[in-house]
Amino acid sequence: MAIEDKEIILLKVSGQDKPGVTAGLTSVLANYNAIVLDIGQADIHDTLSLGILFEIEAGSCSAPVLKDLLFKGYELGIKVKFIPISIDDYESWVKTQSKQRYIINILGETLAAKQLAAVTKIMSDQQLNIDSIKRLTGRTSIVEKEEYPRSCVQLSVSGNIVDKKTMTAHFMEISRTLDVDISFQEDTIYRRNRRLVCFDMDSTLIQTEVIDELAELNGVGEQVRAITESAMNGEIDFNESFKQRMALLEGLSEEVLQDVAKRLPITKGAHRLMKALKYYGYKTAILSGGFTYFGEYLQKELGIDYVHANQLEIKDGKLTGKYLGDIVDGKKKAEYLQAIADKEGININQTIAVGDGANDLPMINLAGLGIAFHAKPKVKESAATSISSLGLDGVLYLLGYHDRHIDMMEKI
């Protein structure tokens, strides 16, 4: 069939969603040997919006197919509308496939119109077009109060960004002022095929800094907390701060370690996240500047595959104030991330690193997706993505999982 003998028509359908709509319409198109060039559907509150772009033989075929589609629409109780598309317009649209594609996730306890308006305005200013929008969190009751409210929508966008640095700065400002998290990722094959997730431990997997707790029990809490804060903010060298803090723990009883381990405050969403990651086949690791004693406890509790942390030296049932082996600092964390990926045969772009402190930045920047989790300001500024409004299970939404995927797993 020559080009001049073809007609391209966009069929737009709206109305109450019900089984059989797509089957009925495509059956009509099949009777006329139509070629489906594109198809897309959205469903909001049982209200259907369906589009089918199809090619049909021009002339005698086009009028009957439109008539039959109208009758079928009436039979199904839906509205149908036809828009003719010229060959030139269609070819121009096809060429837009060369544009870059991105995924933007917007996360928060709730999502307000002002948050969505601010984010989408920046996208518009950067010449990015929204191709589709998908809600990843389940439907929320407005009558019953949720114990753990969370909302996430995923935007698939395309276009050539005008100024990525400016866009990122604006996203960070919105995140800070409107209490919403914004994740921006290139839509590559690696994004859809992550295989390894590495976590910092203190203030990430658990809601405390263990070394600070140990120091408190040894009567040197204030001194150690001051050193820890400076280290996490990147104000002093991590290795030096670690040695200073370790020396202050000298004489602490080994029995205290077990007591602290039993009451570690595991971060909200961590159990849900780890169960999902294990179910869907991810490898997981703790890469921590903390201590193996507590990392191994969490490994058993959460089913984590690898643990790399600092080993305490204990003699005669007491901490000596020293450590065994190399200090696990920021550089070492990145090395362990690469080593685990190599061992598992995983491309570095398929990895995720999650942390909150300055010593997490090397692994956050090395990973295919680096996430600053409830992080210090300097870390949030340096990381490509941050989560501050939700628990650790917010990571699942950045991977593209819907609540129904997670709920299904939890029922097994």
Side-chain angles (χ1 to χ4, degrees):
M1 187 164 51
I3 292 177
E4 59 271 16
D5 296 327
K6 299 176 182 178
E7 277 190 62
I8 299 175
I9 298 171
L10 174 59
L11 168 63
K12 299 182 71 175
V13 180
S14 61
Q16 184 178 2
D17 196 12
K18 66 186 76 171
V21 172
T22 303
L25 296 171
T26 53
S27 292
V28 172
L29 293 174
N31 290 336
Y32 292 89
N33 297 317
I35 302 297
V36 176
L37 301 172
D38 195 18
I39 185 169
Q41 177 177 315
D43 182 11
I44 301 177
H45 195 61
D46 289 334
T47 299
L48 171 70
S49 178
L50 169 66
I52 303 176
L53 186 66
F54 65 92
E55 175 191 310
I56 195 76
E57 185 179 345
S60 60
C61 275
S62 60
V65 73
L66 300 186
K67 181 187 71 173
D68 287 356
L69 286 169
L70 282 170
F71 277 124
K72 181 56 72 173
Y74 178 79
E75 179 184 312
L76 294 168
I78 55 175
K79 295 179 181 179
V80 298
K81 181 180 179 181
F82 308 108
I83 301 175
I85 306 294
S86 71
I87 298 295
D88 288 343
D89 285 346
Y90 175 77
E91 289 301 313
S92 295
W93 174 74
V94 168
K95 290 175 182 176
T96 63
Q97 293 178 106
S98 62
K99 289 184 179 180
Q100 291 292 317
R101 297 187 180 276
Y102 307 94
I103 297 293
I104 296 177
N105 290 87
I106 308 173
L107 307 90
E109 289 192 349
T110 58
L111 292 181
K114 63 181 178 181
Q115 295 165 328
L116 293 172
V119 174
T120 53
K121 173 64 165 59
I122 290 171
M123 292 163 50
S124 176
D125 292 343
Q126 291 295 324
Q127 303 299 307
L128 292 176
N129 183 68
I130 300 174
D131 298 322
S132 67
I133 301 176
K134 180 164 58 175
R135 186 189 73 252
L136 296 181
T137 44
R139 295 166 183 165
T140 304
S141 171
I142 60 174
V143 177
E144 299 178 8
K145 185 175 177 63
E146 290 192 60
E147 181 180 347
Y148 176 21
R150 51 188 181 268
S151 296
C152 177
V153 294
Q154 177 179 287
L155 283 62
S156 297
V157 304
S158 60
N160 299 314
I161 300 172
V162 176
D163 186 340
K164 187 175 181 179
K165 184 176 180 180
T166 297
M167 182 185 72
T168 302
H170 286 163
F171 279 161
M172 289 187 63
E173 178 64 16
I174 290 172
S175 179
R176 184 182 64 81
T177 58
L178 297 183
D179 192 24
V180 65
D181 293 321
I182 306 161
S183 165
F184 181 85
Q185 304 177 60
E186 290 189 21
D187 191 10
T188 65
I189 189 65
Y190 296 118
R191 185 197 71 81
R192 286 167 268 161
N193 195 28
R194 309 288 190 197
R195 304 309 318 148
L196 168 66
V197 190
C198 297
F199 299 89
D200 174 46
M201 181 170 64
D202 296 52
S203 296
T204 300
L205 276 177
I206 55 176
Q207 293 180 303
T208 187
E209 291 286 335
V210 170
I211 197 168
D212 291 351
E213 289 202 31
L214 298 179
E216 194 70 39
L217 294 169
N218 208 35
V220 290
E222 188 173 339
Q223 294 166 262
V224 167
R225 278 195 300 275
I227 299 171
T228 298
E229 185 68 19
S230 293
M232 292 298 98
N233 286 327
E235 297 168 357
I236 60 174
D237 176 72
F238 178 83
N239 286 10
E240 180 58 34
S241 74
F242 181 76
K243 293 174 184 177
Q244 291 178 20
R245 289 178 289 172
M246 282 298 303
L248 291 168
L249 297 181
E250 183 180 1
L252 186 65
S253 171
E254 183 179 5
E255 294 178 0
V256 172
L257 303 182
Q258 187 174 1
D259 292 337
V260 171
K262 288 180 179 178
R263 54 185 174 82
L264 287 175
I266 296 176
T267 300
K268 178 172 65 176
H271 282 97
R272 186 173 188 248
L273 169 62
M274 293 303 178
K275 188 174 181 181
L277 291 177
K278 186 173 183 179
Y279 179 81
Y280 287 112
Y282 290 81
K283 292 295 182 179
T284 54
I286 290 175
L287 306 180
S288 173
F291 305 115
T292 54
Y293 188 97
F294 304 100
E296 289 169 358
Y297 180 88
L298 287 173
Q299 182 178 29
K300 294 175 183 176
E301 174 72 16
L302 297 173
I304 291 169
D305 297 296
Y306 295 91
V307 174
H308 292 287
N310 296 296
Q311 188 171 352
L312 295 164
E313 183 180 69
I314 302 173
K315 289 184 178 179
D316 301 322
K318 294 182 182 295
L319 273 64
T320 66
K322 298 178 182 179
Y323 57 91
L324 302 174
D326 295 331
I327 294 175
V328 179
D329 57 6
K331 180 183 177 183
K332 203 70 178 175
K333 288 186 181 187
E335 290 175 2
Y336 281 132
L337 168 60
Q338 183 69 67
I340 296 171
D342 291 344
K343 179 180 177 181
E344 295 289 345
I346 296 170
N347 188 291
I348 197 65
N349 290 306
Q350 295 175 277
T351 66
I352 298 173
V354 186
D356 74 295
N359 67 322
D360 296 314
L361 281 174
M363 71 171 182
I364 284 175
N365 291 330
L366 174 64
L369 175 61
I371 303 172
F373 180 75
H374 290 262
K376 312 298 185 289
K378 179 180 177 180
V379 182
K380 289 183 70 172
E381 290 172 8
S382 302
T385 298
S386 66
I387 296 177
S388 298
S389 60
L390 299 181
L392 264 178
D393 53 341
V395 172
L396 292 170
Y397 303 127
L398 303 189
L399 292 171
Y401 288 103
H402 190 285
D403 273 348
R404 64 175 174 270
H405 300 135
I406 307 164
D407 295 340
M408 175 187 69
M409 169 272 303
E410 290 181 330
K411 292 176 183 175
I412 296 175

